[in-house]
Amino acid sequence: MAGVHPSTVSRVLRGKENIPIPEATRQRIKKAAKDLKYLPDERARALRLGKSHTIGLVVPDISNVFFAEIAKSIEIESYKAGYTLVVCDTNEEQEKEVHFVNNLISRGVDGLIIAPVQDSDGHIFDLKEKKYPFVLIDRCFEDMEANAIVSDNEDAAFKAVAYLARLGHKRVGFLSGRQNIYTIRKRLAGYKKAVEEYNLERNEALICGNGFTFESGYEATLEILSLPNPSTALLISGNIITLGAIKAILEKGLNIPDDISMIGFTDNIVSPYLVCPLTTISHPLREMGKKAFDLLIKHVESKDNLPFTEEIIKTQFHVRRSTDRVLSQVEAAW
Amino acid sequence: MAGVHPSTVSRVLRGKENIPIPEATRQRIKKAAKDLKYLPDERARALRLGKSHTIGLVVPDISNVFFAEIAKSIEIESYKAGYTLVVCDTNEEQEKEVHFVNNLISRGVDGLIIAPVQDSDGHIFDLKEKKYPFVLIDRCFEDMEANAIVSDNEDAAFKAVAYLARLGHKRVGFLSGRQNIYTIRKRLAGYKKAVEEYNLERNEALICGNGFTFESGYEATLEILSLPNPSTALLISGNIITLGAIKAILEKGLNIPDDISMIGFTDNIVSPYLVCPLTTISHPLREMGKKAFDLLIKHVESKDNLPFTEEIIKTQFHVRRSTDRVLSQVEAAW
DNA sequence: CCGTTTGAGGCAAACGATTGTAACAAGAGT
DNA sequence: ACTCTTGTTACAATCGTTTGCCTCAAACGG
């Protein structure tokens, strides 16, 4: 429409280049571009340039606020940095994760941020081998060197159980998520360490559950509540699980915190407004997202092989009514 | 590596085509592909084929469970149908929406599903003009013919207010979200209709708020509560707003439902477990997502110009304790 | 023994943008 | 008048696939 060669259009629209093009032509091209609502074909550009300005994010459940927050912060960072984010939801299915990782590579994303399902790690090793830039978030593989931004789950679990111990609790239950997952293993480790240190009841039956669903939280809580000696407090590994637990507790006609105290892993905007305002551990999700993005971009934009970075971020503890000190427990403590 | 021309590789790996290729060669190529962990370059394929098997989803806030649920269901459908979903979060910012829509088109997505910010609609008209397949979800433009899957907000609001009226409430407040948005306008219409029909108090001061944030819900509720005659019930347009409202109510030392009843637009997994189990209107989000996807794909895969489809889906009403009948109100009703 | 079919797979163009180089013209210098 | 700049813009190759067409050789028929 401007009567010039595509290469000239490219030079004008892309701006840079030292090749001088007279203002008259520039204007003609720009006008034509605007009139035609011309949008460059990013796939062609990516093909030619070997760079897509796109990064992929793979999470196990986007409908869980935990990952939705992470996704949101990464999205905001990418937008600011001129990258487009492609979010994929694996639904905690390993097969889907492999599919998405391959798919994202196929479409030429410049890098990946992954919160892996952790049923296997072959595809992650492949990434390392291909020297494809990636960052693990929230969950990492302990036997693999890689970029990772995680929170200090072990420390958080330890402190939470310690807090309960100091309130006088002797039997603390642990509602677990899927047990092969990094965060859960760490939390369990912290739990066990505190159980040792404070000499709480050691009983495998107090460790219950294997899944991040509402039902799994519900079932696991019922199991713990029907023990001969149910726990007087629960440490709960996930916000959806927490709701299942609440359902079980209410159904049993019990009261929080009078009959049972609760601490939830992962704080969110509703935590203060639940049936009983929930004491929680909050992960700095926005910060984690930003750090993961910055780290990824550093690797994407550097030509040389940067060393891997692994960062463990401290969590915060929010005390609310679900761990109010209860008379009978205080007595027991003395 | 297999010592054959790329075209032969393509024919073998793509399967189809009637050109016969001997089994020996086939195996050689497949083995090489596996050994090399060959992944086809989707951008090159998309460029050549004019089809990317990708669709774009543009939502105003992915960290809101409402949209996260929609995203999840569309993601599941796309996966099943062999499409990849690219999710973009506009953060309720018009500028970002325009950016994302253009960006998605640039990268050659086959179609778009959009829950628009609705501060403007020029870019949506552009899509129509270019005959680009798209489906609006949750929010549509009343003066524009387009594919849309929305829920019946007017009906839902009417029924909610009617329910409150029958409980004896005379002054019902409406906590609004951003008022230029389709859903909000429809809800407001339903609210006003019920106010007329049941002869409730007509007072613009009872309609309050303009935003989907926690703070906006908090502020608006404080305003209503500090009226000379505060409302005895609230209809609340969004789950984050609801939490802000609860904060305000609790801070004022009021009780739900004794001092004030509440009905929340949009149900979610926590609704039954809030300080006071919340009566809600639920939108069939999974169904909406699936319908939007199916409709989009129908348009994407049809060569001819299909007529636009607009579907309004009924909501459901969940009665919980936040609308328990309260003595003083019952008396007032008689 | 020669022409024709068939099997096997290579060639080349195309998708749209980018970029090093070439080409052409006008003007400057000698 | 002729070369040499310099300014302006076109050409062509490239990225990785796909696909219509072509080629080449072997096999086959008469």
Side-chain angles (χ1 to χ4, degrees):
Chain A
M1 175 164 165
V4 296
H5 194 268
S7 58
T8 311
V9 176
S10 172
R11 291 194 237 260
V12 168
L13 263 36
R14 234 30 72 204
K16 53 184 175 184
E17 290 236 24
N18 40 3
I19 298 188
I21 289 164
E23 201 50 32
T25 313
R26 298 194 105 86
Q27 291 311 324
R28 203 152 30 92
I29 291 174
K30 283 185 181 167
K31 181 166 185 323
K34 180 168 281 179
D35 289 353
L36 294 168
K37 296 186 180 159
Y38 166 80
L39 290 174
D41 186 315
E42 290 296 337
R43 11 189 239 271
R45 295 195 68 207
L47 192 57
R48 176 64 230 253
L49 298 174
K51 175 126 214 280
S52 63
H53 283 277
T54 303
I55 67 169
L57 172 64
V58 180
V59 294
D61 181 11
I62 192 68
S63 70
N64 185 322
V65 278
F66 185 86
F67 293 109
E69 279 291 332
I70 287 180
K72 181 144 192 132
S73 71
I74 296 177
E75 162 69 58
I76 289 172
E77 294 304 320
S78 342
Y79 182 77
K80 280 197 282 190
Y83 280 80
T84 299
L85 184 69
V86 178
V87 183
C88 299
D89 180 345
T90 61
N91 208 29
E92 296 276 7
E93 295 167 36
Q94 184 64 43
E95 184 200 352
K96 272 190 149 189
E97 180 172 308
V98 174
H99 166 84
F100 283 131
V101 168
N102 286 337
N103 185 279
L104 288 167
I105 293 177
S106 270
R107 48 193 354 112
V109 298
D110 297 332
L112 287 169
I113 299 177
I114 309 174
V117 172
Q118 299 204 298
D119 279 345
S120 75
D121 57 8
H123 58 306
I124 308 285
F125 270 112
D126 288 349
L127 289 179
K128 282 189 70 169
E129 204 178 295
K130 288 184 205 158
K131 306 213 174 297
Y132 214 98
F134 73 98
V135 175
L136 300 175
I137 191 164
D138 181 52
R139 305 168 174 184
C140 65
F141 298 91
E142 284 152 294
D143 53 351
M144 183 196 295
E145 261 206 297
N147 291 315
I149 306 289
V150 298
S151 50
D152 197 340
N153 287 281
E154 181 166 351
D155 176 68
F158 178 84
K159 285 180 178 158
V161 175
Y163 184 83
L164 291 169
R166 287 195 297 268
L167 284 178
H169 291 277
K170 291 293 176 202
R171 272 191 311 285
V172 175
F174 180 75
L175 290 191
S176 162
R178 287 181 40 236
Q179 303 204 3
N180 51 335
I181 288 182
Y182 171 81
T183 49
I184 302 302
R185 287 207 314 280
K186 285 295 186 188
R187 289 169 196 179
L188 197 49
Y191 165 85
K192 286 186 170 167
K193 202 170 136 205
V195 165
E196 284 307 313
E197 195 147 316
Y198 290 88
N199 200 25
L200 307 183
E201 180 168 326
R202 263 154 274 174
N203 182 350
E204 284 295 323
L206 290 175
I207 299 167
C208 209
N210 189 30
F212 290 109
T213 62
F214 183 88
E215 287 70 28
S216 133
Y218 175 70
E219 303 287 347
T221 307
L222 283 185
E223 273 184 52
I224 287 185
L225 292 180
S226 53
L227 289 175
N229 263 327
S231 67
T232 60
L234 287 175
L235 178 61
I236 309 179
S237 239
N239 42 23
I240 306 293
I241 301 177
T242 303
L243 300 175
I246 292 178
K247 181 182 181 198
I249 291 169
L250 297 183
E251 268 185 18
K252 284 277 185 177
L254 301 177
N255 181 285
I256 310 166
D258 296 344
D259 299 307
I260 189 161
S261 291
M262 282 173 69
I263 296 181
F265 256 95
T266 81
D267 185 71
N268 68 59
I269 196 167
V270 310
S271 306
Y273 305 109
L274 293 175
V275 175
C276 177
L278 188 65
T279 296
T280 59
I281 291 144
S282 78
H283 305 250
L285 301 178
R286 296 288 167 116
E287 185 189 344
M288 285 170 68
K290 175 160 173 32
K291 287 199 168 172
F293 179 80
D294 290 345
L295 179 55
L296 182 66
I297 294 305
K298 209 172 84 186
H299 279 255
V300 165
E301 294 184 348
S302 141
K303 303 120 212 44
D304 10 284
N305 262 340
L306 299 177
F308 291 124
T309 301
E310 190 171 314
E311 193 167 347
I312 301 178
I313 299 180
K314 286 290 175 209
T315 57
Q316 279 191 298
F317 195 57
H318 303 271
V319 176
R320 299 201 185 94
R321 289 216 346 256
S322 74
T323 50
D324 269 4
R325 184 182 283 251
V326 171
L327 191 59
S328 61
Q329 291 159 9
V330 173
E331 280 165 359
W334 290 103
Chain B
M1 176 162 162
V4 295
H5 194 267
S7 58
T8 310
V9 176
S10 173
R11 290 192 241 260
V12 168
L13 263 36
R14 235 31 72 204
K16 55 185 174 186
E17 290 236 23
N18 40 4
I19 297 190
I21 288 164
E23 201 48 35
T25 313
R26 299 193 107 84
Q27 291 311 326
R28 202 151 33 92
I29 291 174
K30 284 184 181 168
K31 181 165 184 321
K34 179 168 282 179
D35 289 352
L36 293 168
K37 297 188 177 156
Y38 167 81
L39 291 174
D41 187 314
E42 290 296 336
R43 6 188 244 271
R45 294 195 69 207
L47 192 58
R48 175 67 230 252
L49 298 174
K51 177 133 213 285
S52 64
H53 283 277
T54 303
I55 67 169
L57 172 65
V58 180
V59 294
D61 181 10
I62 192 66
S63 70
N64 185 321
V65 278
F66 184 85
F67 293 109
E69 280 290 332
I70 288 180
K72 180 141 192 138
S73 71
I74 296 178
E75 162 70 57
I76 288 172
E77 295 303 320
S78 340
Y79 182 76
K80 280 197 281 190
Y83 280 80
T84 299
L85 183 70
V86 178
V87 183
C88 298
D89 179 344
T90 62
N91 208 31
E92 295 276 9
E93 294 167 35
Q94 185 65 44
E95 184 200 349
K96 273 189 150 191
E97 180 171 310
V98 174
H99 165 85
F100 283 132
V101 168
N102 287 338
N103 185 277
L104 288 167
I105 293 176
S106 270
R107 47 192 357 111
V109 298
D110 297 332
L112 286 169
I113 299 177
I114 309 175
V117 172
Q118 298 204 299
D119 279 344
S120 75
D121 57 8
H123 58 305
I124 309 285
F125 270 111
D126 288 349
L127 289 179
K128 282 190 70 169
E129 205 177 293
K130 291 184 203 159
K131 305 211 174 300
Y132 214 99
F134 72 98
V135 175
L136 300 174
I137 190 162
D138 181 53
R139 307 167 173 185
C140 65
F141 298 90
E142 283 153 294
D143 53 352
M144 183 196 295
E145 261 206 297
N147 291 314
I149 307 289
V150 298
S151 50
D152 196 341
N153 287 281
E154 182 166 353
D155 176 69
F158 178 84
K159 285 180 178 158
V161 175
Y163 184 83
L164 291 169
R166 285 196 298 270
L167 285 178
H169 291 277
K170 290 294 176 201
R171 272 191 310 286
V172 175
F174 180 75
L175 290 192
S176 161
R178 286 182 40 236
Q179 301 203 6
N180 51 336
I181 289 183
Y182 172 81
T183 49
I184 302 301
R185 288 207 313 281
K186 284 296 184 187
R187 290 170 195 178
L188 197 49
Y191 165 87
K192 286 185 170 168
K193 202 170 137 207
V195 165
E196 284 307 313
E197 195 148 317
Y198 289 87
N199 200 27
L200 307 182
E201 179 168 326
R202 263 154 277 173
N203 181 350
E204 285 294 325
L206 291 176
I207 298 167
C208 209
N210 189 30
F212 290 111
T213 61
F214 182 88
E215 288 69 29
S216 133
Y218 174 71
E219 303 287 345
T221 307
L222 285 184
E223 273 184 52
I224 288 186
L225 292 181
S226 52
L227 290 175
N229 263 328
S231 67
T232 60
L234 287 175
L235 177 60
I236 308 180
S237 240
N239 42 24
I240 306 293
I241 301 178
T242 303
L243 300 176
I246 291 177
K247 180 183 181 197
I249 291 168
L250 297 183
E251 270 185 16
K252 285 273 185 180
L254 301 176
N255 180 284
I256 310 165
D258 295 343
D259 300 306
I260 188 160
S261 291
M262 283 173 69
I263 296 182
F265 256 95
T266 80
D267 186 70
N268 68 58
I269 196 168
V270 310
S271 306
Y273 305 109
L274 292 176
V275 175
C276 177
L278 187 68
T279 296
T280 58
I281 291 143
S282 78
H283 305 251
L285 300 178
R286 296 289 168 115
E287 184 190 346
M288 285 170 68
K290 175 161 174 33
K291 286 198 168 173
F293 179 81
D294 290 346
L295 179 56
L296 181 66
I297 294 305
K298 209 172 86 188
H299 278 255
V300 165
E301 292 182 349
S302 138
K303 303 119 210 46
D304 11 285
N305 262 341
L306 300 176
F308 292 124
T309 302
E310 190 171 312
E311 193 167 346
I312 301 178
I313 300 180
K314 287 289 175 209
T315 56
Q316 278 191 300
F317 195 57
H318 303 270
V319 177
R320 300 202 184 92
R321 289 214 348 254
S322 73
T323 51
D324 269 5
R325 183 182 283 250
V326 171
L327 191 59
S328 62
Q329 292 159 10
V330 174
E331 279 165 359
W334 291 103

